[in-house]
């Protein structure tokens, strides 16, 4: 069952249109937004973390209406939809942009454009490297993942530096976590991640040994929701069986998505809470970076 939040009639003056006077004088625009998401957790917890703030969404809509000018309301609808899908709990969104004073040249009551956009399944990927120019490798990996068909990167965490856990003696790692959405089947996504690792010189010889690039598929779908993908096999285990124990995963994950949740056995826990419970003494702030995707 899909739950929905309806936000209707958000109005502001904008300067969108192809005619010079539209861009000069402006006119009112009215936007309706319908969010598809699961609200069972919010209904049980009474906690804003388990839903989406419609006041925040309204503010984003007004910022787009009053912001830089577009020629077409189709474009305005598209960017509003993209902004809304950046909220990690939103599975799909329908945006209707009304332009009631459009220069139609004939009597009319309204003109509107409606778009519906779906995000695919939420996905979490952890990145690590400790050989060669690790930061450059991770930046390249972010671009490679972002360019995969059926994959949309939403955000990437700051870098952290971490001491190696297990394995032979080796240099410290740089780690990060990216969150996004994917329409790829999990095994296909994992295969593509392994291809990116190989393209960056990854050789799988020593377990927990040094590596040029490590891309771990941590979670597909939202923990505890009907979208969550759970799998157990020799090639793919979801969610990642050790992510909830690893400070070098939890620290950047909690930073990039403070509302993130993860499965631990039969329970769903907030990543921020897990971070406070594990040993993070070997995890430090890493160098600055601004990856592109």
């Amino acid at each position: 069952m899909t739950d929905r939040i309806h936000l209707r009639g958000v109005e502001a003056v904008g300067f969108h249109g192809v005619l010079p006077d539209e861009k000069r004088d402006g006119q009112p625009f009215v936007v309706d937004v319908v969010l598809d998401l699961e609200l069972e957790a919010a209904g049980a917890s009474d906690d804003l973390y388990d839903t989406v703030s419609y006041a925040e969404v309204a503010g984003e809509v007004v910022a787009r209406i009053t912001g830089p000018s577009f020629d077409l309301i189709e474009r305005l609808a598209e960017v509003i939809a993209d902004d809304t899908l950046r909220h990690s709990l939103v599975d799909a969104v329908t945006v209707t942009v009304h332009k009631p004073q459009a220069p139609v040249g004939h009597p009319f009551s309204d003109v509107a454009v409606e778009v519906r956009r779906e995000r695919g399944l939420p996905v979490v990927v952890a990145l690590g490297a400790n050989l060669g120019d690790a930061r450059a490798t991770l930046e390249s990996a972010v671009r490679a993942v972002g360019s995969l068909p059926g994959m949309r990167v939403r955000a990437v965490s700051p870098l952290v530096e971490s001491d190696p856990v297990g394995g032979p003696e080796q240099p410290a790692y740089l780690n990060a976590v990216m969150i996004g959405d994917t329409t790829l089947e999990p095994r296909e996504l994992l295969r593509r991640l392994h291809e990116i690792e190989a393209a960056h010189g990854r050789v799988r010889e020593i377990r927990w040994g040094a590596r040029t690039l490590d891309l771990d598929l941590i979670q597909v779908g939202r923990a505890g929701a009907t979208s969550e993908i759970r799998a157990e096999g020799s090639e793919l285990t979801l969610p990642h069986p050790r992510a909830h124990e690893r400070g070098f995963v939890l620290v950047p994950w909690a930073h990039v998505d403070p509302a993130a949740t993860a499965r631990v056995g039969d329970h769903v826990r907030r990543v921020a809470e897990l971070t406070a419970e594990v040993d993070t003494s070997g995890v430090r702030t890493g160098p600055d970076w601004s990856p592109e995707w």
Side-chain angles (χ1 to χ4, degrees):
M1 180 179 68
T2 299
D3 303 321
R4 293 187 175 94
I5 294 174
H6 295 255
L7 178 62
R8 301 193 184 279
V10 180
E11 182 173 352
V13 173
F15 298 83
H16 311 287
V18 297
L19 300 179
D21 59 334
E22 292 182 293
K23 294 187 180 297
R24 182 188 65 241
D25 302 332
Q27 60 187 293
F29 292 83
V30 181
V31 175
D32 304 325
V33 182
V34 181
L35 315 178
D36 289 15
L37 70 169
E38 294 186 25
L39 295 175
E40 184 176 358
S45 70
D46 197 26
D47 193 328
L48 183 60
Y49 277 107
D50 293 324
T51 186
V52 175
S53 168
Y54 41 81
E56 185 175 344
V57 174
E60 294 168 352
V61 171
V62 170
R64 286 298 189 180
I65 295 174
T66 61
S69 172
F70 301 121
D71 287 348
L72 303 178
I73 57 174
E74 288 87 344
R75 177 59 181 162
L76 181 59
E78 191 70 36
V79 297
I80 291 172
D82 190 62
D83 288 343
T84 307
L85 287 175
R86 293 181 188 276
H87 294 268
S88 61
L89 297 180
V90 177
D91 297 319
V93 61
T94 302
V95 175
T96 307
V97 175
H98 303 265
K99 191 176 181 180
Q101 296 182 13
V104 173
H106 300 278
F108 77 106
S109 60
D110 188 24
V111 62
V113 166
E114 179 179 288
V115 301
R116 177 176 172 81
R117 299 291 180 263
E118 299 180 2
R119 71 158 60 249
L121 290 178
V123 63
V124 179
V125 177
L127 306 87
N130 70 339
L131 293 178
D133 189 339
R135 183 172 67 176
T137 297
L138 294 178
E139 289 175 346
S140 176
V142 169
R143 290 193 298 271
V145 174
S147 68
L148 290 176
M151 180 72 193
R152 173 184 285 184
V153 176
R154 292 290 180 184
V156 182
S157 75
L159 287 172
V160 298
E161 184 180 77
S162 65
D163 296 330
V165 178
E169 184 176 348
Q170 55 187 299
Y173 279 85
L174 290 183
N175 298 98
V177 165
M178 68 170 64
I179 59 174
D181 314 306
T182 186
T183 58
L184 293 171
E185 190 273 333
R187 284 179 175 77
E188 175 63 13
L189 176 56
L190 182 63
R191 184 183 70 80
R192 297 294 189 100
L193 295 179
H194 287 170
E195 289 177 349
I196 293 171
E197 289 178 338
H200 288 81
R202 168 71 184 270
V203 178
R204 298 176 180 272
E205 291 181 343
I206 302 174
R207 189 182 187 191
W208 295 328
R211 61 207 66 182
T212 56
L213 178 63
D214 191 20
L215 297 175
D216 283 337
L217 187 55
I218 302 298
Q219 184 171 283
V220 178
R222 192 172 299 115
T226 56
S227 64
E228 180 184 14
I229 302 296
R230 301 179 68 177
E232 187 170 350
S234 58
E235 295 183 358
L236 174 67
T237 300
L238 283 174
H240 191 287
R242 292 175 297 279
H244 66 280
E245 303 170 349
R246 294 176 167 178
F248 60 85
V249 173
L250 295 174
V251 169
W253 189 1
H255 192 287
V256 74
D257 185 4
T261 57
R263 175 171 295 282
V264 183
D266 293 330
H267 303 283
V268 175
R269 302 283 308 282
R270 287 198 174 136
V271 172
E273 294 175 351
L274 293 171
T275 304
E277 295 174 3
V278 303
D279 181 7
T280 59
S281 59
V283 181
R284 304 168 290 278
T285 301
D288 291 337
W289 77 331
S290 298
E292 299 178 352
W293 55 86

